[in-house]
Amino acid sequence: MELFASILAVARAEGIDGVLGIGGGSVIDVAKLVAALTNSHQTVPAVFGINRLLSRDLPLVCLPTTAGTGAEVSPNAILLDTADELKKGVVSPFLVPDAAFVDRC
C-alpha cells in the first residue's frame, strides 16, 4: 500500500481532474482507487470490503491492454496490503468506470 499511497499523494498534490487507466488489471485497479480517493477523506484501509467506499467524484476511463481480467468494467479493485501480506479488495459501484474500451473480437 505504500506505493499506492505515493501515487495518491501525487494525484492530490497535482489537483487532477480525471483519471485514465491504461494497462492490465492491477493498473486499472489503481486508477479506480485514485479516482475514488483523490478528493475523499477516506483512507485505503477504511474502504477495504464491500460497499464501504462512499463516493467517487472524478471521471474515470479505463483502457485495458490485456485480456481476461474484466477490470475495466468491474466494481472491484485489489491492492496488496504489505503490512498484513494479503491482497485485499474494495467492492463498490463507485469503482465502475464512466467509460471503458471493451474489445469484442
Side-chain angles (χ1 to χ4, degrees), residues 8-9 21 27-28 49 52 56-57 61 73 76 83 85 87 93-94 101 105:
L8 186 59
V27 171
I28 289 176
R52 293 185 174 176
R56 172 176 58 87
D57 65 350
V61 176
V73 293
N76 316 321
E85 297 182 355
K87 288 184 178 182
F94 296 115
F101 175 77
C105 295

Side-chain angles (χ1 to χ4, degrees), residues 67-94:
T69 69
E72 70 277 9
V73 293
S74 77
N76 316 321
I78 306 294
L79 281 181
L80 176 62
D81 183 339
T82 53
D84 288 344
E85 297 182 355
L86 292 171
K87 288 184 178 182
K88 294 184 179 179
V90 178
V91 181
S92 170
F94 296 115

Side-chain angles (χ1 to χ4, degrees), residues 53-72:
L53 185 63
L54 299 176
S55 66
R56 172 176 58 87
D57 65 350
L58 291 180
L60 172 63
V61 176
C62 293
L63 302 171
T65 59
T66 60
T69 69
E72 70 277 9

